[in-house]
Every structure is written in C-alpha cells, then in structure tokens.
Amino acid sequence: MARTVDTLAAEIHDLPDVEKLRLVDAILADLDRPDPEIDRVWAEEARKRWEAYKAGRATTVPYETVMAKHRRS
C-alpha cells in the first residue's frame, strides 16, 4: 500500500534534523529539472535589466535601505 503524505510527514517529524535536511536536498534535486525555455527567458530578462541599469533607466534601491527594511520585518 502506498504511503500517504500524512504518514510520511509523521515519519519525517521523528527524523533527526540532519536527516530532514538530506531529505529536503533529495526532494529539491528531484524537482530541479532544467527547462531551456525558462533559462532563455530569464537570460533575456537579465540582459534587459542590466541594459536598463547601465542606461540609467532602472530604479535602484541602496543596499542599506533594503537591509534596514528587512531588519524591521
């Protein structure tokens, strides 16, 4: 009989943290399937953003401002 997600979750709950991390790594590796079309779209988006930045058309936020915002969260 196939295990249900609830059964697996209960078993995972009892695992040591190191084993939980190994399981997360295994799941992420299983889900990480390269998609050339997505890679192409992201590469084009990165080029557009870089060109906009170099041309002064991109709005930027200083590092200190970003970090201050996240420290308050």
Side-chain angles (χ1 to χ4, degrees):
M1 175 185 250
R3 294 182 185 179
T4 66
V5 172
D6 292 336
T7 302
L8 287 171
E11 290 180 32
I12 292 166
H13 178 74
D14 295 331
L15 290 174
D17 289 346
V18 171
E19 293 300 310
K20 289 177 186 175
L21 289 171
R22 289 184 60 213
L23 181 58
V24 168
D25 284 341
I27 291 170
L28 290 175
D30 185 59
L31 292 172
D32 188 21
R33 296 182 189 98
D35 183 331
E37 179 61 14
I38 291 174
D39 292 344
R40 185 195 64 73
V41 169
W42 272 114
E44 180 61 27
E45 181 65 22
R47 278 190 287 280
K48 288 178 183 177
R49 290 181 187 197
W50 179 243
E51 291 301 321
Y53 172 77
K54 290 192 308 187
R57 296 187 316 266
T59 304
T60 60
V61 179
Y63 171 82
E64 293 80 13
T65 303
V66 172
M67 294 311 294
K69 175 183 174 185
H70 290 285
R71 284 187 197 107
R72 289 189 297 252
S73 298

